[in-house]
Amino acid sequence: MKNVRKWVLVLLLGVLSLICLTPPIKAEEQARALQSLINEAQAGATIILAQGTYEGPIIIDKPLQLEAKSGEEVTIANTSDQPAIQIIADEVSLTRITIRDEQIKMQPTVLIQADGVLLDQLQIHTGSFGIKMRKANHGEVRNTSIVWAGSVSNRPLKLSDKGNGMDLYESNDNTFIGNSVIAMHDGIYMENSDNNLVEENNFERLRYGVHCMYTRGTIIRNNIGKLNITGAMIMAARKVELSNNQFTKQSENVNSQGILLFDAHEIMIFDNHVEGNRVGLYVEQSTLNRITNNSIIGNFIGLQILDAENNAISGNQFIGNVANAASRNSVNNTLDGNYWDTFQGIDLDGDRKSEIAYAINPFFQSLVKAKPGFQLFFQSPGMVFLEGLYQSQREQWAVDASPLMEPTENVRFVISKQTLQHSATIGGLLLCLSIYLIYLGVRRK
């Protein structure tokens, strides 16, 4: 019995010695281990990653499900100039993984070159593009956060130096739902990419929250964009739907807009809330668009139409804007049944619509086009007076034939005190500037 105990003790001491003498797994070996797991797995397998940090880059070249163990934190860290994760096989999914790829570089953090890829509950910290999709169709990105994490020590980083949160090229029929993109270049950039769904995402401190270029059939629904230069930029696009979005506080840049249409055609814009922007809704060189039932509230300019024709604009609420509308060279547009809070109409038959039309005076826009410096006098008392005198070519003005006498019940938001203060401050500054310039003119005489 004593001999048995002796040999058991010797065996235990030997095992403990081996454990103590075994060196810890290096980061390089851990990276090889993760790539080896991928290489050795059968197509269609699910790889559950235990808690810890794994080094990138990795390449997934077969259908796999790669996910963190439930309740545990798994990080893939990449310091190379290659994508942290490159997916070149169809039907791959990544779930509950944090990706740290903070080096400023050209290659994206996640590069997808395959169909049917699912990214779910990822936390992406990037110094490049968050996700690039190239000829990647029928994929889905959901519940994922993309945040800019790159930095340059010797100079401030310009917005143009950053990559897009999600960047699509020739990638169709994808879904982006429940994501958050913060402090990148554009939130979602889509070029030559059709029939994509962008829903219930949050875009903040970007150039454009959603940017469509040469797209068709895009749906942009129930998103929130704030503190960007422009909430949604629709350019050279057709048959796009923007509905039930909130675009607020895009006002820090001279080119800020809530929604911008340029060379955009057959676009449906309805039930959006656009508040506190420099321009709420900007439409230029665009045709055959339908803009209905939007709340355009507390902007510097509510609606701006330039060189645009054959658009239908009806049932919108223009409330608390410094200027409700501005127009130039925009004929044959149908404006009907909008509410303009600064317009005083007359309702003779009790249908809640004015028998007097609301006409958008093009004087200021035409003057600014000829002399851009006159923008300083926007809504100044003198400019308002001159605008009232201008009646030339009235048949070419944009006109709401039957403006509403009061706002409809579907106005979903009340103007915040901050928005009212913002509009009042701008108006006050413009008034003071006008008085000061007049004073200087009098002194010189």
Side-chain angles (χ1 to χ4, degrees):
M1 192 66 177
K2 290 183 179 180
N3 289 335
V4 172
R5 291 177 179 174
K6 178 181 178 180
W7 285 111
V8 169
L9 182 60
V10 169
L11 181 60
L12 288 173
L13 290 172
V15 170
L16 289 173
S17 299
L18 287 173
I19 293 173
C20 293
L21 292 174
T22 300
I25 299 175
K26 296 181 179 179
E28 294 82 1
E29 293 172 345
Q30 195 174 31
R32 284 197 295 271
L34 179 55
Q35 187 65 64
S36 295
L37 284 173
I38 294 169
N39 295 341
E40 294 168 5
Q42 296 292 321
T46 298
I47 299 175
I48 306 296
L49 297 177
Q51 182 167 315
T53 299
Y54 300 81
E55 294 292 321
I58 61 171
I59 298 175
I60 304 176
D61 58 359
K62 67 187 73 172
L64 288 175
Q65 289 74 52
L66 192 66
E67 62 183 73
K69 188 175 181 181
S70 180
E72 297 191 355
E73 295 184 8
V74 170
T75 300
I76 295 177
N78 183 45
T79 57
S80 76
D81 59 2
Q82 297 301 308
I85 301 173
Q86 184 176 359
I87 300 172
I88 57 176
D90 297 344
E91 306 302 328
V92 169
S93 71
L94 303 178
T95 307
R96 295 190 302 275
I97 296 173
T98 296
I99 305 168
R100 294 194 174 275
D101 186 40
E102 300 175 4
Q103 178 178 324
I104 297 177
K105 59 184 181 181
M106 296 299 295
Q107 292 290 345
T109 294
V110 179
L111 176 60
I112 302 174
Q113 298 168 298
D115 296 341
V117 173
L118 168 64
L119 305 181
D120 186 17
Q121 302 174 66
L122 304 186
Q123 303 290 324
I124 298 175
H125 304 263
T126 181
S128 181
F129 292 79
I131 301 167
K132 262 191 181 180
M133 302 177 71
R134 295 295 182 265
K135 296 185 178 180
N137 308 305
H138 304 286
E140 185 173 356
V141 181
R142 65 190 186 200
N143 305 317
T144 288
S145 171
I146 303 173
V147 179
W148 179 260
S151 63
V152 178
S153 59
N154 60 349
R155 62 179 176 87
L157 198 66
K158 297 184 295 184
L159 188 62
S160 58
D161 293 333
K162 300 178 179 181
N164 300 321
M166 290 172 269
D167 188 288
L168 281 67
Y169 184 76
E170 294 185 353
S171 298
N172 308 313
D173 300 292
N174 298 286
T175 298
F176 305 91
I177 185 167
N179 306 292
S180 175
V181 185
I182 298 175
M184 302 292 293
H185 188 233
D186 291 349
I188 298 182
Y189 175 82
M190 294 170 279
E191 183 177 348
N192 291 328
S193 300
D194 298 334
N195 302 315
N196 294 293
L197 172 62
V198 180
E199 187 170 19
E200 296 180 0
N201 303 283
N202 182 69
F203 304 108
E204 188 172 335
R205 302 203 309 276
L206 311 162
R207 184 182 68 155
Y208 305 143
V210 183
H211 189 182
C212 296
M213 288 283 292
Y214 310 108
T215 69
R216 179 185 289 266
T218 306
I219 296 176
I220 303 167
R221 180 192 299 151
N222 295 325
N223 302 282
I224 296 175
K226 62 181 178 180
L227 302 174
N228 308 299
I229 291 179
T230 296
M233 166 66 152
I234 313 300
M235 183 173 181
R238 287 185 176 274
K239 297 185 181 297
V240 174
E241 175 192 314
L242 288 95
S243 61
N244 287 288
N245 302 286
Q246 296 181 41
F247 295 118
T248 62
K249 300 181 181 178
Q250 273 90 197
S251 60
E252 298 301 318
N253 189 285
V254 294
N255 296 312
S256 290
Q257 300 93 8
I259 298 172
L260 186 152
L261 304 185
F262 185 86
D263 188 20
H265 312 278
E266 301 176 86
I267 312 299
M268 300 284 291
I269 301 177
F270 59 92
D271 296 338
N272 298 284
H273 178 74
V274 184
E275 180 179 350
N277 307 286
R278 182 185 175 276
V279 179
L281 177 58
Y282 182 98
V283 182
E284 183 174 0
Q285 297 182 29
S286 299
T287 64
L288 304 174
N289 304 298
R290 294 184 61 84
I291 302 169
T292 59
N293 300 324
N294 301 284
S295 301
I296 302 174
I297 296 176
N299 304 281
F300 193 50
I301 299 175
L303 171 68
Q304 190 166 6
I305 313 175
L306 305 176
D307 305 305
E309 298 184 2
N310 299 315
N311 300 286
I313 303 172
S314 63
N316 303 286
Q317 318 292 308
F318 295 90
I319 302 172
N321 304 290
V322 175
N324 274 330
S327 176
R328 188 187 72 235
N329 295 338
S330 297
V331 298
N332 300 324
N333 295 294
T334 301
L335 282 76
D336 182 69
N338 301 284
Y339 175 71
W340 315 88
D341 67 340
T342 57
F343 174 68
Q344 299 296 319
I346 298 175
D347 179 12
L348 297 177
D349 57 9
D351 64 353
R352 300 178 63 190
K353 292 185 177 181
S354 173
E355 272 65 54
I356 300 175
Y358 171 71
I360 302 174
N361 195 317
F363 174 75
F364 181 76
Q365 289 297 317
S366 300
L367 183 63
V368 166
K369 184 180 181 182
K371 300 288 184 180
F374 278 95
Q375 292 182 76
L376 290 172
F377 296 95
F378 177 74
Q379 290 296 97
S380 66
M383 189 61 67
V384 172
F385 175 74
L386 291 174
E387 192 173 57
L389 295 178
Y390 180 79
Q391 297 294 318
S392 178
Q393 297 179 316
R394 193 177 178 91
E395 70 279 359
Q396 296 183 15
W397 294 13
V399 174
D400 188 333
S402 302
L404 294 179
M405 294 296 295
E406 56 187 36
T408 60
E409 295 178 358
N410 64 357
V411 177
R412 297 168 300 162
F413 298 84
V414 177
I415 307 174
S416 65
K417 290 183 179 179
Q418 184 177 2
T419 298
L420 288 171
Q421 291 169 355
H422 179 69
S423 298
T425 300
I426 291 174
L429 288 173
L430 289 170
L431 176 60
C432 292
L433 179 61
S434 300
I435 294 172
Y436 177 69
L437 292 173
I438 293 170
Y439 170 74
L440 289 180
V442 171
R443 284 197 63 185
R444 285 174 184 171
K445 290 180 181 181

